[in-house]
Amino acid sequence: MTTDQVGADRELTLHDHWPGVPTGKYVITAEHTAEGTADGKKFKQTFTGSRTLYVRGPRFVLTPEQVHACYPAPGAAGAFADDLPHAVLAPAVLPWERVLDKGRPEVPWLALLVLHEKDLPVDPATGRADQTRSVKELLPGAGHVQPPKVLLPALTEEQDPKHPESCRTVDVPADCFTDVLPRFDELPLLSHVRRVSGTGGGDHAVLLANRLPRTAGRYTAHVVSLEGFTAKQLSGGSPLMPDGKPAEKVRLVSLWSWDFAVSGTAAPSFLSVAKQVAANSAGRLPLRLPDGSTGKTAVSKRLADGFVPVGHQLPDGARTYAWYRGPFTPVVPHSLPVDATTLTSEAEALIYSQAHGVFDVGYASAFALGKAITLANTDLARSLGEVRAAATTAAQELAKRLARGLDINTGRVQAKSFGAPAAHPGRLATAAFARLATDGPLLAEPPAPAADPGAATRKPDAPTLQPVVDATTGPHAQAAVRTVVAQYLDRVTGAGLDPARLLAAVPFDHLVPDPGLLPPESVRLFHVDPAWLRALTAGAGSLGLCTSLDLALHDEVTKQVLAASAPPAAGLLLRSALCRDWPGLQVVARRNKGAEDVLSGAPRFLAADLLLAFFTAAPDSVVLRQPSQVLHFGLDGTDLIKLRYARPEDGEVGSSMARDFTGVPLRQPKNPARTREVLDTGRLRAAVKDRLCESPPRWDSATALPPGVLGLQLLNSQCQLVIEAAK
């Protein structure tokens, strides 16, 4: 069992940026020159045509469809001291659809600005630091508003505009603008494109913030537009008004924003919780109680096989103990001495150990649970009643046909007269079914009986005497019941007579009957006992058994239901904060060296901290993986970055190198009251490159570290807990 930080099964590629066609007006001109000879004369003629098109893109507002994900999640609260907030946007070209500097197409026009609640004054009326205002206030012309000492972006009016009527803005104090906003040369380093291959993947742009939220309180992350600002204004100097005087505030358009909170108490990480689960489960993966005894005793053998002692009351009222094991067993279960599909009562499922004078009540409990589940399922109880009624009707019809005189041994009609009507069809059918259950296929339609010479002289009101036969041998009843079962099987299974659905209804204390089987922060593996499921199914179908016809019908229904089902063969139970604190925890189960996926359906969360997963076969390895949406960026610890291979010739791209980087540079704020928590991204890029150049495999010292490579070093990928078979 190992824990490591790894990527998902799908391939992840980071690109520096995504070039596209900038927004604006474009004129496409086509020219074609035709020349040749016509009527003996040479000619040359030029044809031209042009079309005007407009490339549009978001300018003031982003829609929810354009914001693929945010980290930390909106409304989240916790410790994010080593995390860089980020936004994932679509389409991938979005941050480069507008141009800040024509000579630097890799510089995005969007940035992620993270502000603490103390950075901006809050409007008492709205409780927010941003304001909604008309777009016309920002554009030149009628409606433009220039507040005193507030630097506005120098926007231009676009031809064929399709912008909204209003937008949200933030007025950032000048010192905060200088301290927190990413600088012009840092903007390319804080943006890249993430390509994920496979189902559910795609291309998305990623905007990283440069601020590590280390101060307790509320933060707001804003996707802001830098359009209308020059490279000089974004280079870290104090903002100046157009007349050269210092500005007190800078107005930025916020296209999207979300809030999160930082608490003073650090929550356990996925990695630390996974390590705790690994420590508590190592050497104790099978679902069994720990055995504190010494030596090999009968009790030790029972505990090793997954049994637990339970209280048991005998028929005479005396109380003793018995052994119980549910459907989950740590060993491959043994076959029963009797066929569980033929069980008709709990007593038949009791197993008694004469050597030790102790009952095994596991299968009897399964049978009783099946009956209880049917009692609680009105649809299933009704469907079982319908199939029994249909079988009774079919058996009655069979009795009438047999009473017409078919001799099953000779195939000839025998006419016999009695002074009383024929026997009750139901009783006759019951007897026939009980005796014919194991005979061959259904015979052809019997011939009509011979004419009764006395019928013409019989009085009209006299009872008609029907020829009868001994219907206790032959295939007719069994064939009739099989026909009824085939007609009603889908209805019965659809109502709930299915091993997998019945298993889902079993109370948890019958699956795991002792807390010691699954202690906190642990994982356990198990086989599924098919005999237990057969007893459960037999019990569910046994409700209301009365006649021998019911018994034979019950056997046939149970056998066909089990034959048509594909219950799980093994499974996993996880009791951990991994379930509660990381919703969407992923389970991957494989065998045959990873070639075969054996996960049976989606894992079930039985409680906030309890997960149950089934497998179609015993797996070679099981992986419990952090949800894919938690892929984020930041440090690997205070002042620490674990470096990764960035080139295939050096090693597997993305895998950890045996090399760390320490000494993460932080920007010194101009405002002494502001905490040093803003990355100096330019210095970080240079320092990481120097560390990569120190020893083989060395990065080329003459080559700058691309944004995608820096993003790879800051990537905090999914953690996972790996459970593997012993080798």
Side-chain angles (χ1 to χ4, degrees):
M1 184 180 300
T2 59
T3 54
D4 195 9
Q5 289 188 306
V6 298
D9 292 335
R10 298 174 295 176
E11 187 176 67
L12 173 67
T13 306
L14 303 182
H15 297 271
D16 295 341
H17 73 288
W18 204 267
V21 179
T23 57
K25 177 182 177 181
Y26 292 84
V27 178
I28 300 177
T29 302
E31 184 177 284
H32 175 69
T33 300
E35 56 182 314
T37 303
D39 298 331
K41 297 181 180 180
K42 293 183 178 181
F43 71 90
K44 182 178 181 180
Q45 188 173 2
T46 300
F47 302 89
T48 60
S50 64
R51 292 291 185 272
T52 300
L53 61 89
Y54 297 90
V55 177
R56 304 192 186 103
R59 195 182 191 189
F60 298 101
V61 176
L62 294 179
T63 64
E65 293 75 19
Q66 292 167 323
V67 181
H68 181 71
C70 300
Y71 183 87
F80 306 106
D82 295 324
D83 298 334
L84 291 174
H86 73 269
V88 182
L89 309 178
V93 72
L94 181 57
W96 298 276
E97 284 185 331
R98 298 180 182 275
V99 178
L100 288 186
D101 188 322
K102 292 183 179 180
R104 300 282 303 276
E106 77 280 8
V107 178
W109 67 282
L110 295 175
L112 188 61
L113 178 64
V114 177
L115 300 173
H116 189 265
E117 59 185 344
K118 294 182 180 179
D119 290 335
L120 299 181
V122 175
D123 186 345
T126 63
R128 298 187 59 86
D130 52 358
Q131 303 87 30
T132 300
R133 63 183 74 253
S134 171
V135 169
K136 293 182 179 180
E137 295 183 28
L138 302 172
L139 296 174
H144 179 74
V145 176
Q146 174 60 66
K149 298 183 179 181
V150 177
L151 178 62
L152 302 182
L155 300 178
T156 59
E157 184 73 56
E158 290 185 343
Q159 297 185 16
D160 191 34
K162 296 293 181 180
H163 56 70
E165 295 293 328
S166 61
C167 65
R168 300 194 69 83
T169 63
V170 286
D171 289 348
V172 183
D175 66 322
C176 183
F177 180 85
T178 303
D179 286 345
V180 180
L181 187 75
R183 292 168 184 171
F184 184 81
D185 289 334
E186 294 177 333
L187 291 173
L189 304 177
L190 296 170
S191 59
H192 60 263
V193 171
R194 184 175 78 187
R195 167 170 286 182
V196 179
S197 62
T199 305
D203 300 330
H204 296 89
V206 179
L207 292 180
L208 295 178
N210 62 345
R211 189 170 190 173
L212 299 165
R214 293 179 169 175
T215 304
R218 193 183 75 170
Y219 283 83
T220 303
H222 295 272
V223 178
V224 297
S225 168
L226 301 180
E227 183 186 14
F229 293 98
T230 65
K232 183 178 180 180
Q233 291 173 318
L234 299 174
S235 295
S238 298
L240 301 176
M241 299 294 291
D243 58 5
K245 295 181 179 180
E248 293 182 356
K249 296 180 180 180
V250 179
R251 181 164 295 174
L252 298 172
V253 175
S254 175
L255 291 85
W256 187 269
S257 66
W258 76 94
D259 298 332
F260 61 93
V262 172
S263 61
T265 303
S269 67
F270 186 98
L271 192 60
S272 64
V273 177
K275 287 182 176 180
Q276 184 64 44
V277 172
N280 293 345
S281 306
R284 297 184 293 274
L285 282 174
L287 186 68
R288 59 167 65 102
L289 284 176
D291 182 13
S293 63
T294 59
K296 296 182 179 180
T297 64
V299 172
S300 297
K301 179 64 169 64
R302 283 284 182 170
L303 293 177
D305 287 345
F307 287 89
V308 298
V310 295
H312 180 55
Q313 183 172 341
L314 298 175
D316 61 359
R319 300 194 64 84
T320 181
Y321 85 93
W323 290 110
Y324 173 82
R325 186 177 68 187
F328 303 158
T329 164
V331 295
V332 177
H334 300 291
S335 58
L336 285 179
V338 296
D339 185 0
T341 60
T342 63
L343 297 175
T344 59
S345 68
E346 295 89 332
E348 295 178 11
L350 275 175
I351 298 176
Y352 181 69
S353 173
Q354 292 184 350
H356 303 98
V358 180
F359 281 101
D360 174 352
V361 298
Y363 298 111
S365 298
F367 191 93
L369 275 171
K371 291 201 300 185
I373 292 172
T374 300
L375 283 170
N377 186 341
T378 55
D379 290 340
L380 177 55
R382 185 184 303 110
S383 297
L384 289 173
E386 290 173 354
V387 71
R388 286 176 187 158
T392 301
T393 301
Q396 289 172 343
E397 181 62 28
L398 169 66
K400 293 178 182 179
R401 291 171 56 191
L402 293 177
R404 294 170 61 186
L406 176 64
D407 185 321
I408 297 179
N409 294 321
T410 64
R412 293 177 298 179
V413 175
Q414 294 181 346
K416 298 181 180 179
S417 298
F418 295 88
H424 188 277
R427 290 193 294 272
L428 180 61
T430 300
F433 184 82
R435 294 288 299 275
L436 304 180
T438 59
D439 284 359
L442 178 66
L443 297 181
E445 176 74 17
D452 182 0
T457 60
R458 189 177 296 118
K459 295 181 180 180
D461 56 348
T464 302
L465 299 180
Q466 299 291 337
V468 297
V469 297
D470 181 4
T472 59
T473 60
H476 301 76
Q478 178 68 7
V481 170
R482 286 178 179 171
T483 301
V484 170
V485 172
Q487 293 174 347
Y488 282 80
L489 186 64
D490 290 342
R491 183 182 302 181
V492 172
T493 55
L497 192 62
D498 174 77
R501 292 180 61 181
L502 292 172
L503 182 59
V506 173
F508 184 72
D509 60 354
H510 285 69
L511 302 177
V512 182
D514 191 290
L517 291 167
L518 188 66
E521 300 304 330
S522 68
V523 62
R524 295 291 185 265
L525 300 176
F526 56 83
H527 297 276
V528 177
D529 186 353
W532 204 96
L533 295 185
R534 289 196 293 270
L536 178 71
T537 306
S542 69
L543 193 66
L545 294 180
C546 296
T547 67
S548 57
L549 176 63
D550 292 341
L551 296 176
L553 179 65
H554 166 63
D555 290 348
E556 186 66 26
V557 170
T558 304
K559 289 176 181 177
Q560 293 202 29
V561 165
L562 292 171
S565 66
L572 169 146
L573 281 163
L574 173 67
R575 182 183 177 190
S576 171
L578 295 176
C579 308
R580 180 190 65 239
D581 297 340
W582 285 270
L585 181 72
Q586 300 173 5
V587 180
V588 179
R590 297 190 179 277
R591 62 181 295 167
N592 296 332
K593 298 181 179 180
E596 182 183 355
D597 181 6
V598 295
L599 185 65
S600 177
R604 293 169 52 204
F605 289 88
L606 305 181
D609 62 344
L610 191 59
L611 177 142
L612 170 63
F614 287 118
F615 311 134
T616 58
D620 297 332
S621 67
V622 179
V623 178
L624 303 176
R625 180 174 295 149
Q626 203 172 1
S628 58
Q629 66 266 25
V630 302
L631 182 74
H632 59 280
F633 299 84
L635 310 183
D636 296 299
T638 303
D639 202 35
L640 172 68
I641 297 176
K642 294 184 177 181
L643 300 180
R644 300 171 180 268
Y645 289 108
R647 298 178 301 192
E649 60 267 27
D650 297 336
E652 185 179 359
V653 174
S655 61
S656 297
M657 302 173 66
R659 195 182 309 175
D660 295 339
F661 171 81
T662 57
V664 176
L666 299 178
R667 199 186 289 178
Q668 182 65 45
K670 290 188 176 182
N671 184 346
R674 187 169 290 115
T675 306
R676 290 183 72 240
E677 54 186 24
V678 176
L679 285 180
D680 192 325
T681 317
R683 288 173 54 203
L684 176 64
R685 176 195 199 183
V688 169
K689 189 193 81 168
D690 291 343
R691 183 74 176 98
L692 291 173
C693 294
E694 286 181 4
S695 58
R698 291 186 174 92
W699 185 267
D700 183 6
S701 59
T703 304
L705 210 62
V709 174
L710 182 61
L712 179 65
Q713 306 307 323
L714 294 172
L715 180 66
N716 290 335
S717 58
Q718 296 162 277
C719 297
Q720 65 182 18
L721 175 64
V722 181
I723 306 168
E724 294 181 323
K727 298 181 181 179

